[in-house]
Structures are given as C-alpha cells and as structure tokens.
C-alpha cells in the first residue's frame, strides 16, 4: 500500500445523528428525507418516518439504530439515526464507527442531558468530527445562549484533542425543517445543515488496492434472501459474486459467496454490482455472521477490532409460565422455544446477556435498564410468546482487592418546576441518592442532579410523574460502581390476592374496593394466588373477587339493584415490573399481563414465610 493509492471520496459523506432522548433526532431526519425529494408527495410521508417499528411509534422513542441515504447535488450522504435513551446505548455504540462525523442535537430549553454527554464522549473518543445543532429554538422556554455555553463546557470536558473544540454551531426548528447559522435568521429549509455536512464532515478514505475488510455492525433478515449483514467497508472493494471470508470471535473462518450486494438509497436498499471503502452496504450469503465479526479477503484474513459495549446493570428471570392459565393465549410456551428466542435476541441486541439458572426452564436475562428489558418483553409477547418474569434486580460486582460488593451508580438529572423541588428531593433521598447540584434558571424551573444507585431508579419515573403532576423530566446515565449502600426502604404496601378461581364479579370487586385499590375489571377470569389489587396496609390480604351477591326474593331499595364500582387502575408493563416484590411474578401472554404470587395457595405462602423467618433467625 502506498500513499499515492489512498484518496478521499468526494462523492460520499457518512454522518451519525446523536442526542439525548426527545431532542428531535428522528424529526430532523424526517426533514432531511422530505427535502431530498425521495418522496413523490412529501406531505403524505407523515412524521417519524424512520421509526417504522410499532413499539417505536407507540412509545414515541427510537429503539433501533437505522440507516438511510439522501442525495445533495452529486454527493451521497449516509445518515445513521440512533436512539437517545440510555437503555439503548448499545445500539449507538455499535454503529458510531460507521460514520466519519456526527451531528449533536441539543434541545434549546433542556440543554445537555446525561445521554448527551455519554454519546458525545463515545463519538469524540473514536475521532468523529462534530457539528452542533441547537434544536427547538422556537420553544417558549428556550435559553439559546445559555445552552450554547453549556455545550461548550461539555466539549471542554470531553474533547480528546484541541481540534474537536473547533466545531460549527447551527440553530434549527426540526419540526418545520428549518436551520441556520443564527437563531434570528433561519433559512426556509435545511440547506445550511447540508452545506455544513459537506464542508465539515471528512470524506471517507479509499484505497482500492487494499484487501477487503468490513466490520459487521447490524443484522437483518429477509424471508427470501436470508440473513442480511450490514456494515461499512473499512478498506478495499467488493463485487457481487465475490468469495469472502468471515472471521471473529464466535465465528469459524469460512469462505462464502456474496449472493447479493446492496447499498442504501432513501429508505430502501438498492442492488449494486460494486462498492468501495467508505460505502455502507448490506450483504447476503453469510448465514453464520454475527455483529462484531469481520468480512474480509480470504487471502488476507484479519479481524477488525470488535465493538466495545458497556455491561448490563439490571437483571431478572424469564421462565416458563406455570400459572393455571398457561398455554391458553400463547403460540410459544415451552422452555425450548423460550431459550431459542432469547438466544436469537442475543445476535442483534448486544447489550443483553442471557445465562442459565439452576432451574432448566428459567433463564437469567440482564440488560441496560428497565426500558431495555420491558421492550424485549413487549416484543416477545406480540410475537406470541408466553412466559413469566421476576422482579428486576441490579447486577453487582465484587471488588478485586477487598471482595466488597459493588453496585451501579447513575447520574440522574431532573428538570422540574420550583414548587416540586421538595417532592423530588424527598423521593430521591429515600432511594439513597446524594445531591450533586441544584440550579435555578430564574424562570421557575430547577435542575437537580443526583448520584443514585441503579436500583433506586426502579419505579422512580412513575412515582415522580405522579408526585409532580407530570411536571418533571428525568434522564440518567451509568457513571460508576460503588460499595453497596444498604437496603432501600420499600414504599409498596401489601397486595390484594384472589382466594378463588373463577370469573370476577361486581359484588366481589365491590368488597375488594372497600379494602384497597383494584387492578382488574369485572368479567375477567382469575385464579387463586393472582394479584387483583393493592392493600393500603403492609400485609397481603386474600379476597374473594368471584363472590356473587346472595339472591333473595326481597330488596329493600333501588340501591340494591346495582353495585357502584370505582374504575380499576390498569397497570402498564413498566408499572407491573415496578410493582413486583421478591415473592411475586408477572405472567406475560399475548393477551394479558397478570400479577401473581410465586406460591399460589394461602397454605404454600404461609409455609414459605415461616421458612424464610427460620432462615433469618439461623443467619442471625
């Protein structure tokens, strides 16, 4: 290889869009796609075009990293849309090395948030050229100048060399598809941003005579073509029909033929015959490929460095459904089917860890956070799987020198109105959080920063939104592992547990509502040991929600004709996970989420309670 062979491709740019959740990445990509004329009718294309997954649209967040490509004059710009939530940080980490530069989006009101720091640190660490876009400048509470200073401070903290401190700053209203170099003078479109990408993002280096190398960063599947391998060509070139080797950890060095070669154009993949260094491509014909493997020239087998992914912080168990209603709703309910599905998830979900337990039909699943795991649970139930999960717990470590137990600590940032500062402080204080900073912007909003154990975050979001009447925005990122901080006092009271199996009746619910809050509706089927509500007292209470009103031939008044019921509190998946205690499980089926006790009968629960008490005495 000689210096003369190396050139830069002036016809191509590769850029990733990174930001904290809900700062406008996908909306900005919408604007770029609509203005690049890939749609016959841009107005009919809708919003959140890249969020094609049903769960992404329902939750309003990006879960999976995705590729698209637009044309600006004679130049092709490959755009990589990444998630903003910290729980999906693995999706960001695995695709950043496909880009030569990044667009850092920052909300003009919220400013840099925890995930902003995390993704920027990773981008600067691998040498990406940054462009800063301060978005949503039309917000009534925008603080543009202050946010710009905060971004500069962030770069001063994270830059690995001086050149990264010289970055262009643009201002935008992503929803309107407008951008400019001054907040007071925005263009009518996104041309200023596109011009900046062309001018600032380095063109990919091309060396056509070097042996081919490509790191696999994504996998997809097509019912006709089979497994699709996606990545960026690190060096060399490739033609459709070439024979290539695949190597790397967990992959046997094998030679396979490129069945089809595709590149990205707009939202589609287009068949091509040749691609060169810098291109983002998709290959078929490599059935054994895994993320992190290297596709390379069979005469020069050499693996590229794999993608470094942060370890999980939260774990729970997935097990075969053992409730009396098992097998009613799901298409896949055996331990073999559950194991195969979890192993299949490991191929694309790099942040996930699956390990066996001492029970053959129960598996330990660890992920980045509560949302990361809940998305997997929801995806599986929609695919027809039926299973049960346990209460989430944190993943701990042992100190190599002292043997002390260490737990994950997160940097939590909460933006809240002044009147709820006391409420937020009280909520976090009870979860072993220590305050790091408190800043009042002088306009009624306060930003509080805490260091808090990851286990303290379980259930915190729902509790905080309730306590602040929806006036809180929170974000967090993993910062370190520290010595175990001791037990966190549970705020949950006891449960109302069904004492009979049958159909829930109005009279039974009315009696249960005299004792607490109910989670189930009249007409729902239940079984003994199923949790049907919450008891305001600490202990669990068995209630018969299937009890009918005794019939007589007399009634004293019209009030006896109907029973007045309070509407039940229907828990979401995340709320159900937050509700769980150690002796409880969540039954997940395609049609229902049911909270239940591990031991269904009252006698079993009493026996296990006595055993636990005796074990506690023996330890003491």
């Amino acid at each position: 290889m000689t210096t003369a062979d190396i050139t830069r491709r002036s016809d191509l740019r590769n850029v990733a869009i990174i930001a904290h959740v809900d700062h406008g990445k996908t909306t900005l990509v919408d604007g770029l796609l609509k203005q690049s004329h890939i749609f016959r009718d841009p107005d009919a294309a809708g919003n959140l075009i890249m969020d094609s997954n049903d769960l992404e649209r329902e939750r309003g967040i990006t879960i999976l990293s995705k590729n698209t490509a637009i044309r600006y004059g004679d130049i092709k710009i490959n755009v990589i849309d990444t998630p903003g939530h910290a729980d999906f940080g693995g999706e960001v980490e695995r695709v950043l090395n496909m880009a030569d530069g990044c667009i850092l989006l920052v909300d003009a009101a919220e400013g840099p948030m925890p995930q902003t720091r995390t993704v920027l640190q990773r981008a600067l660490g691998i040498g990406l050229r940054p462009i800063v876009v301060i978005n949503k400048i039309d917000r009534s509470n925008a603080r543009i100048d202050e946010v710009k200073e905060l971004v500069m401070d962030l770069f001063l903290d994270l830059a690995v060399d001086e050149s990264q401190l010289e970055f262009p700053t643009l201002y935008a209203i992503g929803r309107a598809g407008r951008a400019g170099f001054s907040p007071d003078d925005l263009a009518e479109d996104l041309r200023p941003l596109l011009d900046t990408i062309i001018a600032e993002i380095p063109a990919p280096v091309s060396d056509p005579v070097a042996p081919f190398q490509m790191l696999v960063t994504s996998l997809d599947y097509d019912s006709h073509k089979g497994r699709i391998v996606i990545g960026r060509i690190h060096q060399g070139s490739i033609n459709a029909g070439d024979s290539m080797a695949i190597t790397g950890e967990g992959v046997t060095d094998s030679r396979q033929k490129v069945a089809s070669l595709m590149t990205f154009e707009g939202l589609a993949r287009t068949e091509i015959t040749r691609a060169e260094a810098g291109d983002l491509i998709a290959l078929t014909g490599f059935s054994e490929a895994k993320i992190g493997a290297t596709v390379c020239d069979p005469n020069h087998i050499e693996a590229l460095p794999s993608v470094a992914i942060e370890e999980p912080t939260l774990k729970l168990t997935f097990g075969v459904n053992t409730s009396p209603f098992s097998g009613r709703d799901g298409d896949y309910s055996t331990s073999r089917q559950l194991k195969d599905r979890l192993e299949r998830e490991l191929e694309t979900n790099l942040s996930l860890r699956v390990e066996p337990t001492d029970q053959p039909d129960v598996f330990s699943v660890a992920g980045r956070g509560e949302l990361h795991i809940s998305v997997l649970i929801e995806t599986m139930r929609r695919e027809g799987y039926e299973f049960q999960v346990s209460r989430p717990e944190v993943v701990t470590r042992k100190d190599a020198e002292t043997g002390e137990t260490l737990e994950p600590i997160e940097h939590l940032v909460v933006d809240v109105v002044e009147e709820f500062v006391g409420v937020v402080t009280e909520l976090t204080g009870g979860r072993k959080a220590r305050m790091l900073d408190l800043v009042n912007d002088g306009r009624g909003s306060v930003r509080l920063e805490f260091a808090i154990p990851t286990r303290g975050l379980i259930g915190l979001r729902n509790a905080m939104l309730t306590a602040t009447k929806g006036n809180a925005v929170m974000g967090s990122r993993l910062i370190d592992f520290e010595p175990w901080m001791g037990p966190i006092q549970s705020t949950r009271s006891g449960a109302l547990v069904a004492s009979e199996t049958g159909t829930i009746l109005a009279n039974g619910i009315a009696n249960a509502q005299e004792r607490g809050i109910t989670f189930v509706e009249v007409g729902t089927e239940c079984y003994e040991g199923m949790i049907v509500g919450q008891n305001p007292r600490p202990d669990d209470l068995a209630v018969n929600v299937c009890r009918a009103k005794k019939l007589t031939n007399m009634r004293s008044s019209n009030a006896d004709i109907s029973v007045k019921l309070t509407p039940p509190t229907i828990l979401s998946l995340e709320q159900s996970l937050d509700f769980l205690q150690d002796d409880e499980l969540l039954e997940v089926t395609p049609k229902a989420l049911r909270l239940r006790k591990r031991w269904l009968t009252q006698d079993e629960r009493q026996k296990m309670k006595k055993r636990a008490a005796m074990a506690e005495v023996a330890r003491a």
Side-chain angles (χ1 to χ4, degrees), residues 302-321:
E302 182 181 353
L304 290 166
S306 190
V307 181
I309 302 293
E310 283 187 5
E311 291 298 310
T313 58
L314 210 63
K315 66 180 180 180
L316 45 69
T317 62
F318 280 51
V320 171
N321 187 13

Side-chain angles (χ1 to χ4, degrees), residues 31-44:
L32 291 171
L33 289 171
K34 290 176 180 179
Q35 293 180 22
S36 62
H37 307 296
I38 67 169
F39 300 110
R40 184 172 299 173
D41 182 3
D43 294 332

Side-chain angles (χ1 to χ4, degrees), residues 15-18 24-30 48-51 56 62-68 78-84 91-92 95:
V15 61
I17 299 184
I18 59 176
K25 297 179 305 302
T26 306
T27 304
L28 185 67
V29 174
D30 285 352
L48 305 178
I49 299 167
M50 294 290 285
D51 286 349
E56 290 179 320
T62 300
I63 296 172
L64 302 173
S65 295
K66 306 175 191 69
N67 298 350
T68 186
N78 284 314
V79 180
I80 305 161
D81 185 23
T82 64
E91 287 288 312
V92 183
V95 298

Side-chain angles (χ1 to χ4, degrees), residues 127-140:
L128 298 189
R129 173 68 176 158
I131 296 172
V132 172
V133 176
I134 298 178
N135 193 28
K136 304 185 182 181
I137 63 170
D138 57 331
R139 291 185 62 171
S140 59

Side-chain angles (χ1 to χ4, degrees), residues 18 89 92-93 96 116-128 158 308-311 368:
I18 59 176
V92 183
E93 291 158 7
L96 280 183
T116 312
R117 171 179 285 271
T118 301
V119 294
L120 180 61
Q121 185 174 24
R122 293 197 171 275
L124 296 181
I126 61 174
L128 298 189
L158 302 179
I309 302 293
E310 283 187 5
E311 291 298 310
R368 277 286 187 87

Side-chain angles (χ1 to χ4, degrees), residues 140-152:
S140 59
N141 57 344
R143 45 193 184 113
I144 299 171
D145 293 336
E146 186 179 345
V147 167
K148 185 176 180 181
E149 290 181 11
L150 292 171
V151 171
M152 190 66 211

Side-chain angles (χ1 to χ4, degrees), residues 388-403:
Q388 61 191 25
V389 298
S390 67
R391 179 188 186 186
E393 302 174 356
V394 294
V395 177
T396 58
R397 295 179 181 176
K398 290 287 185 182
D399 189 286
E401 297 179 0
T402 64

Side-chain angles (χ1 to χ4, degrees), residues 14 78 177 193 202 329 381 462 486 493 532:
N14 296 320
N78 284 314
L193 176 58
D329 300 339
R381 72 181 288 234
N462 289 324
S493 55
V532 295

